[in-house]
Amino acid sequence: MRINEYNNISEFISQYSGTWSPSNEQWLGLEFRYKDEYYRFDSGDNFSVSKIIFSDSDTYPMSSGYEPLIESETLESLLKKKMISNLTFADVIMADETEILAKD
């Protein structure tokens, strides 16, 4: 069953122009879950994806830090970078089982 709210990569790209305007569906970042792991995507000066780190007692949304995974100067190049198990960020963010948890 598909839980991902994005139907195609263009929908994702259109929401991350590096400006924050929620009324216009423009965001600077999001948190998502993929295969029981939690991640943070950030746009702005650079585009990056980090794994959310939890201490033994913490659960989402209470994190104890971030482990940087990939970074790029453009969203287009970030989408092509390998992230998890030889999958690109585009593959992960569009996977049926990827759940968008929060946008900011």
Side-chain angles (χ1 to χ4, degrees):
M1 179 167 101
R2 183 172 176 80
I3 60 172
N4 194 330
E5 69 182 63
Y6 294 113
N7 295 308
N8 57 62
I9 199 69
S10 296
E11 287 181 4
F12 173 77
I13 292 169
S14 70
Q15 292 188 351
Y16 295 93
S17 63
T19 59
W20 187 72
S21 179
S23 61
N24 293 319
E25 285 292 312
Q26 296 293 300
W27 308 97
L28 288 175
L30 66 83
E31 291 182 358
F32 63 97
R33 181 173 63 197
Y34 175 74
K35 295 195 175 191
D36 294 324
E37 296 286 344
Y38 294 85
Y39 300 92
R40 170 96 189 146
F41 161 76
D42 286 300
S43 66
D45 293 337
N46 283 320
F47 296 86
S48 64
V49 178
S50 300
K51 184 175 179 181
I52 300 174
I53 306 299
F54 301 99
S55 65
D56 289 339
S57 62
D58 287 343
T59 58
Y60 184 84
M62 302 298 292
S63 68
S64 61
Y66 298 92
E67 175 187 337
L69 297 177
I70 54 175
E71 187 174 307
S72 187
E73 290 184 15
T74 67
L75 179 54
E76 291 76 20
S77 62
L78 184 80
L79 290 167
K80 297 175 186 173
K81 289 194 173 189
K82 304 285 184 187
M83 188 179 135
I84 304 166
S85 301
N86 215 26
L87 294 175
T88 65
F89 176 56
D91 292 334
V92 171
I93 203 65
M94 291 307 303
D96 289 349
E97 64 270 27
T98 296
E99 180 181 9
I100 308 304
L101 303 169
K103 296 179 183 180
D104 53 39

